Amino acid sequence: MEELDGEPTVTLIPGVNSQKKQMCFDWGPGEMLVCETSFNKKEKSDMMPGCPFIHIIRKNEDVYSQILRKLFNESHGIFVGLQRIEEELTGKSRKAQLVRVSKNYRSVIRACLEEMHQLAIAGKDPASDRQFSIQVSSLSAMELIWNLCEILFIEVAPAGPLLLHLLDWVQLHVCEVDSLSADVLGSENPSKHERFWNLVTVLVLQGRLDEARQMLSKEANTNPTSAGMCRILGDLMRTMPVLSPGNTQTLTELELKWQHWHEGCERHLQDGTFASSPHLESLCKIMLGDEAALLEQKELLSNWYHFLVTRLLYSHPTVKPMDLHFYAQSSLDLFLGGESSPEPLDNILMAAFEFDIHQVIKECSIALSNWWFVAHLTDLLDHCKLLQSHNLYFGSNMREFLLLEYASGLFAHHSLWQLGVDYFDYCPELGRVSLELHIERIPLSTEQKALKVLRVCEQRQMTEQVRSICKILAMKAVRNNRLGSALSWSIRAKDAAFATLVSDRFLRDYCERGCFSDLDLIDNLGPAMMLSDRLTFLGKYREFHRLYGEKRFVDAASLLLSLMTSQIAPRTFWMTLLTDALPLLEQKQVIFSAEQTYELMRCLEDLTSGRPVRGEPDAQQLQDDDVETTKVEMLRLALARNLARSIIKEGSLEGS
């Protein structure tokens, strides 16, 4: 039977009184805008001005934190590196590499944690201090959980080394002993310090027996009456059997030695060796794994998992991974003693000790404030081949689902979206579709940002998105009257209709100003000129002006005529073209042949007497406009004179 999730927690919005007014909201990119209204269908007469309360609810608040942005940036490189080396990982080298990747992730968490801790200490604003403290707690929990998962799931430490790893885990994350040690050792007479025995006890509880022996030697030097007892207890600490990493002894040998050592400790306690010193006697009981003695040190242990590891160290040093959850559950019950309920962190750690990976991920998804942790941990565990059998009912596996959620959150940020692209790339089932949907929603606030988005789309052959972005940028450029930019974007989008529109704007500007803007762009259109007839005309018309400027009049005349007769030139522009022909018709040498002149005359007659096309002046309008009439008469006269000259020239050439 499928397990159902509980109802989500209710988030109260401060200042909103839902009893008096109704709510309206709108989704933004990654956030929701909420405001109160006075809308009331029944009592329209009582409508009042809107309430001033407007709230922006961010779905992914953490992406706006400067420190956490470093976490996202640094871990991105580790994630991408892991995906790229996956094929090279085999055998023992694979396990070592995965452990190294896990430690790299933890080092990034630790660096951010330390920086956040410094800010929390130095902060002056109470609101900021509270926020920093919350984030410090969150990062601490993340590192604690990740470290335990690394020990149990990635390193898969066997009995013996398992306890050593758990001791390191506790020593790393229960770090109050360092400040306590600095305080005690910094005093003039450490053994007389009021917290001296607290320090010795904590060192024993954490298995730091060499340091505890050094403390006892200070007590022995200062207090001769207890010197003998300190020496005996110090010898017990020194001789305690521990399976060190480079040791070749078997677990059976270790158990036999430990049992012999344990019996020696018990004998000293029964003989009353430490009866005259309650502190030393308490330490001996702790080293015997006495649960009552351990529970007396609740304040120094501070949490149940510290109690668990200390209990294992002095009672079950060769504990097997499969037995961990029994000791973990009993330690939790003993430590809490029914006085309080387990916290979310307790449930997560307990799920890890039970080797229930999916429950760990589920609990972390609920308890933590962002998807970074579960996305990266799940990805790493997936590379460890621990999640292969867990597919979700909506067509994706757990790894991909969490990576998609995390990447979606990154896209809510103005710059972190670039990291999200790579996470989508490594989601084989739904990543491509998700990237296409999210990239279309990125606000193209600057051209530089638009170029970045465009580059991402082009690298992934996302043709529709490239076209859409280019069209958006082309429209923005047209609105800002940047025609050159608009034309280049429309060409890049391969949008013939928009290229035609922009070309018309170029031609209209030319008619109004008498010159072209963005000449470099028009001169270098190349094959892009063929995108639309109007763009072709724009390019060829510019070529006509270039030929004319180079005094290549015959070529210019031929090109001008071909633009009109091939129907590439819009009829609305014919009068401009005919006017451009006037200087050529008036040249001393004959430029247009008789046949070409007839063509020009036909075009002029079609323009002045033919049926008008929408947008062009009709014949009556041309006749009524004095300027146009004068222009037409000048053209007719020039054409007639050129025709006569060309007939004479051609006749004389034939006669010769």
Side-chain angles (χ1 to χ4, degrees):
M1 186 174 180
E2 184 181 355
E3 181 185 355
L4 298 177
D5 291 332
E7 289 294 320
T9 56
V10 177
T11 302
L12 297 176
I13 305 172
V16 171
N17 187 344
S18 57
Q19 295 180 352
K20 293 186 177 181
K21 298 181 176 65
Q22 298 186 19
M23 298 293 298
C24 72
F25 67 89
D26 189 26
W27 288 107
E31 55 191 32
M32 182 174 70
L33 181 70
V34 182
C35 63
E36 283 192 276
T37 69
S38 300
F39 179 69
N40 191 325
K41 289 184 177 179
K42 296 180 180 178
E43 302 175 7
K44 294 184 178 179
S45 58
D46 294 339
M47 290 179 68
M48 299 171 63
C51 179
F53 292 123
I54 294 179
H55 308 270
I56 295 176
I57 301 175
R58 283 176 172 161
K59 182 181 177 183
N60 297 284
E61 180 73 24
D62 288 342
V63 299
Y64 299 95
S65 165
Q66 290 290 333
I67 308 298
L68 292 180
R69 280 178 62 186
K70 293 181 181 179
L71 175 69
F72 302 149
N73 277 304
E74 293 293 328
S75 58
H76 165 261
I78 301 171
F79 170 83
V80 173
L82 175 59
Q83 315 310 308
R84 290 176 179 168
I85 65 172
E86 166 62 17
E87 296 178 1
E88 305 169 11
L89 300 178
T90 54
K92 292 183 178 179
S93 64
R94 176 188 180 84
K95 179 180 176 181
Q97 187 69 30
L98 291 172
V99 171
R100 192 176 302 117
V101 169
S102 179
K103 291 183 186 298
N104 288 341
Y105 276 127
R106 284 203 295 117
S107 68
V108 172
I109 300 174
R110 170 63 63 171
C112 291
L113 177 60
E114 290 175 358
E115 189 170 349
M116 193 76 75
H117 185 64
Q118 292 301 320
L119 287 173
I121 295 172
K124 297 179 180 178
D125 178 24
S128 298
D129 291 351
R130 183 173 177 276
Q131 185 64 29
F132 285 139
S133 297
I134 292 171
Q135 290 183 335
V136 165
S137 300
S138 178
L139 286 170
S140 298
M142 285 160 61
E143 191 192 2
L144 179 75
I145 299 163
W146 191 299
N147 196 351
L148 182 60
C149 290
E150 180 185 297
I151 294 167
L152 300 179
F153 304 136
I154 303 171
E155 285 194 292
V156 197
L162 173 61
L163 184 60
L164 296 179
H165 287 302
L166 290 176
L167 271 174
D168 290 339
W169 175 60
V170 163
Q171 290 170 12
L172 179 63
H173 298 286
V174 182
C175 51
E176 292 85 354
V177 65
D178 296 322
S179 57
L180 177 59
S181 178
D183 185 28
V184 172
L185 294 176
S187 62
E188 292 182 7
N189 191 345
S191 63
K192 298 298 182 184
H193 193 282
E194 60 180 356
R195 302 187 68 191
F196 173 79
W197 288 108
N198 282 355
L199 174 59
V200 178
T201 305
V202 170
L203 291 172
V204 173
L205 291 171
Q206 288 198 1
R208 296 160 68 167
L209 298 182
D210 287 340
E211 295 173 64
R213 282 172 53 222
Q214 292 173 12
M215 293 294 105
L216 288 179
S217 66
K218 294 182 183 299
E219 166 67 11
N221 293 334
T222 309
N223 190 356
T225 58
S226 61
M229 292 183 289
C230 289
R231 181 182 55 78
I232 294 171
L233 190 61
D235 287 340
L236 290 174
M237 292 178 180
R238 180 178 54 79
T239 57
M240 179 181 175
V242 178
L243 184 65
S244 56
N247 202 329
T248 56
Q249 65 181 329
T250 64
L251 285 181
T252 306
E253 291 174 339
L254 176 67
E255 286 176 349
L256 288 172
K257 288 181 179 179
W258 185 85
Q259 191 63 40
H260 179 71
W261 172 84
H262 191 270
E263 289 170 359
C265 292
E266 205 164 33
R267 198 161 43 248
H268 279 294
L269 192 64
Q270 290 174 356
D271 292 345
T273 305
F274 310 111
S276 60
S277 174
H279 292 299
L280 295 174
E281 188 176 44
S282 174
L283 291 175
C284 187
K285 287 180 180 179
I286 290 172
M287 290 166 63
L288 280 167
D290 186 301
E291 289 181 358
L294 287 171
L295 289 172
E296 286 177 6
Q297 308 299 334
K298 257 190 174 185
E299 289 187 9
L300 297 178
L301 285 166
S302 71
N303 51 62
W304 68 271
Y305 47 89
H306 188 184
F307 170 58
L308 164 67
V309 175
T310 304
R311 183 183 171 202
L312 290 175
L313 173 65
Y314 296 117
S315 300
H316 310 282
T318 56
V319 62
K320 296 178 175 62
M322 66 181 72
D323 297 329
L324 262 181
H325 69 281
F326 295 115
Y327 296 112
Q329 188 62 60
S330 62
S331 296
L332 176 63
D333 295 339
L334 284 169
F335 196 82
L336 296 181
E339 297 174 5
S340 59
S341 301
E343 298 288 333
L345 178 60
D346 301 329
N347 295 329
I348 295 168
L349 296 177
M350 186 58 66
F353 283 122
E354 291 172 354
F355 288 86
D356 189 344
I357 297 174
H358 302 120
Q359 189 64 25
V360 170
I361 294 168
K362 179 181 175 181
E363 295 281 353
C364 289
S365 300
I366 296 169
L368 299 177
S369 60
N370 61 68
W371 292 102
W372 178 90
F373 180 86
V374 287
H376 290 83
L377 179 62
T378 304
D379 173 65
L380 184 56
L381 294 176
D382 188 71
H383 281 87
C384 295
K385 310 297 183 186
L386 296 173
L387 300 171
Q388 302 305 310
S389 62
H390 194 77
N391 288 325
L392 304 178
Y393 65 88
F394 43 81
S396 179
N397 58 32
M398 182 181 286
R399 170 194 173 273
E400 181 160 324
F401 170 75
L402 294 172
L403 286 176
L404 291 173
E405 286 294 327
Y406 173 63
S408 299
L410 294 177
F411 266 79
H413 193 269
H414 63 86
S415 64
L416 290 177
W417 65 268
Q418 296 170 86
L419 306 182
V421 171
D422 285 326
Y423 288 94
F424 281 135
D425 280 345
Y426 290 106
C427 293
E429 300 222 5
L430 303 174
R432 170 81 179 200
V433 176
S434 300
L435 177 58
E436 289 174 353
L437 291 172
H438 280 83
I439 213 155
E440 289 176 351
R441 299 172 186 168
I442 297 176
L444 305 177
S445 49
T446 65
E447 192 160 307
Q448 183 182 8
K449 186 174 181 180
L451 287 169
K452 289 180 181 178
V453 177
L454 203 56
R455 195 177 305 115
V456 167
C457 295
E458 287 175 340
Q459 288 170 350
R460 290 156 182 79
Q461 288 82 46
M462 296 165 61
T463 310
E464 287 302 318
Q465 284 69 29
V466 168
R467 186 175 292 118
S468 174
I469 292 166
C470 290
K471 287 174 73 172
I472 291 169
L473 294 170
M475 292 177 71
K476 281 186 177 181
V478 166
R479 282 197 294 268
N480 294 325
N481 205 33
R482 294 167 53 227
L483 298 182
S485 179
L487 184 57
S488 65
W489 285 121
S490 60
I491 291 171
R492 195 164 179 177
K494 295 182 173 57
D495 189 336
F498 207 84
T500 299
L501 174 68
V502 178
S503 300
D504 281 337
R505 284 285 299 270
F506 264 108
L507 295 172
R508 193 168 70 201
D509 276 13
Y510 171 77
C511 292
E512 293 173 357
R513 297 162 53 191
C515 63
F516 282 113
S517 58
D518 300 287
L519 286 178
D520 287 343
L521 176 65
I522 301 172
D523 285 343
N524 295 284
L525 284 173
M529 190 189 300
M530 307 306 294
L531 183 61
S532 75
D533 287 347
R534 200 58 46 83
L535 188 56
T536 303
F537 169 71
L538 177 64
K540 291 295 182 183
Y541 185 54
R542 168 57 191 156
E543 187 179 343
F544 160 76
H545 278 278
R546 186 172 53 78
L547 292 171
Y548 187 90
E550 295 172 358
K551 300 190 183 303
R552 295 166 59 185
F553 298 134
V554 175
D555 293 337
S558 177
L559 178 58
L560 184 69
L561 185 62
S562 69
L563 289 175
M564 297 183 70
T565 56
S566 64
Q567 304 297 317
I568 291 178
R571 284 175 63 88
T572 53
F573 210 74
W574 278 17
M575 183 55 72
T576 303
L577 293 176
L578 289 167
T579 306
D580 286 334
L582 266 176
L584 296 173
L585 293 168
E586 297 295 338
Q587 292 289 327
K588 291 180 181 179
Q589 66 185 72
V590 177
I591 305 298
F592 289 102
S593 66
E595 185 179 351
Q596 289 177 323
T597 308
Y598 280 127
E599 287 291 335
L600 288 173
M601 295 173 79
R602 183 183 61 78
C603 290
L604 180 61
E605 291 307 312
D606 285 350
L607 188 62
T608 55
S609 59
R611 178 177 293 181
V613 179
R614 188 175 67 176
E616 72 173 47
D618 58 20
Q620 184 63 42
Q621 185 178 345
L622 284 172
Q623 291 171 7
D624 293 344
D625 193 320
D626 291 340
V627 176
E628 291 298 324
T629 302
T630 304
K631 195 182 292 184
V632 169
E633 291 303 322
M634 288 176 64
L635 281 167
R636 283 178 175 153
L637 178 60
L639 286 167
R641 289 171 59 187
N642 189 79
L643 181 61
R645 292 167 60 201
S646 61
I647 290 173
I648 293 170
K649 178 182 177 182
E650 290 168 12
S652 62
L653 287 172
E654 288 176 5
S656 63

